[in-house]
Amino acid sequence: MSILRDVDLDICAGTIVAVVGPSGCGASTLLRLATGAEHCDAGTVTVDGHTGAAAPRVPAVLDRSPALRFGRALASITTAARHAGVVAPEAEAERLCALVGLRAGDAPVSRLALGDRQRWALAKALAARPRALVLDDALAALHTTARAQTRDRVVRELRERGVTTLWATRDTAEAAAVADELVVLDGGRIVATGSPADVYRRLGDTAVAEVLGPVSAVPGIVEGAVVEVWGQRLALAVAAHDGHCEVVLRPEDVVLVSGDTTGVDAIVEETTFLGSVRRSTVVTADGSRVVIEHPAEHRLDVDTRARIALAPVPVNVRPRD
């Protein structure tokens, strides 16, 4: 079991807080504490102003929610809506099945495929009209396109109802898409919190930056409010001490340029087609390994030469080891 240390997290009513981190970071433990499935050895968990046995239980939808052995999908969703006091529970069950894309009708829950079981668990949880909800990789079994569509519809439903939501996911793009506040866990501690955009740009902290996608580090020299790298002089995003540094980059911070443009020569190490873009890794003349994203139609073959430069935007730096 992961051990949480010094975790202080206040979730405002009606907001969606997404939790991300490397494997073993403690996210699942945090969620079990929030639902009351586990109890902390120190500190308290307060739900709606109450702690301990007096705190209301927070329902959860897990990546593998347990199936009803004999229950049927639509009937169980209808029952949850009826118990929540919904005026027309049958119509509400049908609406929620459409919302999550569940087309299994009234099939036995135990016979549903894993993806449809996740849809069923989401619909059943929403039918109960919760004030708060925990989602632990609750969309993990869905196909990429269906997952994004279901995610967006579920988020709209949660926001319209003002459901306070703690949403853990291994998909950092999903976390950024759903969250009002993003929490990064590492080694059982919260290492960053803030809006998705703010956390994404925190490149000076390696533990935070690498959780949210690939980063590259290249040598530079800070002088005043600018840093020089590959013959370019760029503004600093955050003030830093003069001297040698590492310039920390996201793939979108690097651009392909022509041979007569200021930049650095590189050799293509690998390239991956991602649909609308390609993600390529190149090794520069100074030995830096740099990940770049570029239009899909601009194909880079392995072992061929390319020239790269930095986009003209403020950059983040950190001290060299």
Side-chain angles (χ1 to χ4, degrees), residues 237-262:
V238 179
H241 294 295
D242 286 359
H244 291 277
C245 68
E246 287 186 334
V247 182
V248 191
L249 309 168
R250 292 283 187 198
E252 62 269 24
D253 297 327
V254 188
V255 294
L256 292 168
V257 295
S258 59
D260 58 353
T261 303
T262 301

Side-chain angles (χ1 to χ4, degrees), residues 68 71-86 88-107 109 112 116-129 161:
L68 298 173
R72 293 185 173 272
L74 187 60
S76 62
I77 298 169
T78 302
T79 299
R82 183 177 294 112
H83 288 169
V86 176
E90 293 85 0
E92 176 68 351
E94 294 282 1
R95 184 187 73 84
L96 290 172
C97 284
L99 179 83
V100 300
L102 179 61
R103 299 181 179 87
D106 212 17
V109 175
L112 296 179
D116 279 342
R117 192 176 297 175
Q118 288 192 328
R119 297 177 194 273
W120 162 78
L122 274 169
K124 185 170 179 286
L126 292 170
R129 296 294 176 95
R161 293 193 192 179

Side-chain angles (χ1 to χ4, degrees), residues 200 203 206 209-210 212-217 248-251 289 291 318:
Y200 184 77
L203 298 181
T206 303
E210 292 182 350
L212 299 181
V215 292
S216 307
V248 191
L249 309 168
R250 292 283 187 198
R289 181 170 279 100
V291 180
R318 63 191 182 200

Side-chain angles (χ1 to χ4, degrees), residues 5 81 96 131 133 137 193 203 214 253 273 281 288:
R5 300 179 180 88
L96 290 172
R131 295 177 59 187
L133 184 62
D137 252 345
T193 62
L203 298 181
D253 297 327
F273 178 67
T281 301
S288 301

Side-chain angles (χ1 to χ4, degrees), residues 12-98:
C12 295
T15 61
I16 299 175
V17 173
V19 181
V20 295
S23 180
C25 68
S28 292
T29 300
L30 177 65
L31 268 57
R32 288 195 295 270
L33 291 173
T35 62
E38 288 190 16
H39 301 286
C40 48
D41 297 324
T44 58
V45 177
T46 303
V47 180
D48 201 18
H50 300 279
T51 61
R57 291 295 296 268
V58 178
V61 179
L62 312 177
D63 59 344
R64 290 183 178 271
S65 293
L68 298 173
R69 185 175 180 183
F70 301 110
R72 293 185 173 272
L74 187 60
S76 62
I77 298 169
T78 302
T79 299
R82 183 177 294 112
H83 288 169
V86 176
V87 175
E90 293 85 0
E92 176 68 351
E94 294 282 1
R95 184 187 73 84
L96 290 172
C97 284

Side-chain angles (χ1 to χ4, degrees), residues 18-321:
V19 181
V20 295
S23 180
C25 68
S28 292
T29 300
L30 177 65
L31 268 57
R32 288 195 295 270
L33 291 173
T35 62
E38 288 190 16
H39 301 286
C40 48
D41 297 324
T44 58
V45 177
T46 303
V47 180
D48 201 18
H50 300 279
T51 61
R57 291 295 296 268
V58 178
V61 179
L62 312 177
D63 59 344
R64 290 183 178 271
S65 293
L68 298 173
R69 185 175 180 183
F70 301 110
R72 293 185 173 272
L74 187 60
S76 62
I77 298 169
T78 302
T79 299
R82 183 177 294 112
H83 288 169
V86 176
V87 175
E90 293 85 0
E92 176 68 351
E94 294 282 1
R95 184 187 73 84
L96 290 172
C97 284
L99 179 83
V100 300
L102 179 61
R103 299 181 179 87
D106 212 17
V109 175
S110 60
R111 295 185 181 178
L112 296 179
L114 182 56
D116 279 342
R117 192 176 297 175
Q118 288 192 328
R119 297 177 194 273
W120 162 78
L122 274 169
K124 185 170 179 286
L126 292 170
R129 296 294 176 95
R131 295 177 59 187
L133 184 62
V134 162
L135 303 178
D136 190 357
D137 252 345
L139 302 175
L142 275 61
H143 180 272
T144 302
T145 302
R147 178 170 179 164
Q149 293 171 343
T150 305
R151 174 202 71 201
D152 292 344
R153 290 194 294 263
V154 168
V155 167
R156 284 195 295 271
E157 182 81 5
L158 294 171
R159 294 199 190 285
E160 288 173 4
R161 293 193 192 179
V163 180
T164 306
T165 307
L166 190 57
W167 187 317
T169 175
R170 295 178 180 86
D171 185 335
T172 55
E174 177 175 284
V178 306
D180 297 304
E181 181 179 2
L182 191 61
V183 174
V184 181
L185 279 177
D186 188 33
R189 289 185 169 90
I190 294 177
V191 294
T193 62
S195 72
D198 289 343
V199 174
Y200 184 77
R201 299 309 303 178
R202 280 188 54 174
L203 298 181
D205 188 331
T206 303
V208 175
E210 292 182 350
V211 164
L212 299 181
V215 292
S216 307
V218 303
I221 301 176
V222 174
E223 185 177 346
V226 299
V227 60
E228 183 174 337
V229 56
W230 300 338
Q232 297 176 260
R233 290 175 63 83
L234 299 170
L236 291 171
V238 179
H241 294 295
D242 286 359
H244 291 277
C245 68
E246 287 186 334
V247 182
V248 191
L249 309 168
R250 292 283 187 198
E252 62 269 24
D253 297 327
V254 188
V255 294
L256 292 168
V257 295
S258 59
D260 58 353
T261 303
T262 301
V264 66
D265 291 326
I267 299 296
V268 179
E269 186 176 72
E270 61 182 41
T271 184
T272 304
F273 178 67
L274 298 177
S276 60
V277 299
R278 282 185 178 274
R279 178 174 291 170
S280 300
T281 301
V282 303
V283 179
T284 65
D286 60 14
S288 301
R289 181 170 279 100
V290 182
V291 180
I292 65 175
E293 287 183 354
H294 51 93
E297 60 270 18
H298 194 153
R299 184 183 182 91
L300 296 178
D301 293 324
V302 174
D303 294 332
T304 60
R305 291 186 176 276
R307 190 167 178 82
I308 61 174
L310 300 189
V313 296
V315 295
N316 290 267
V317 302
R318 63 191 182 200
R320 295 190 69 172
D321 294 334

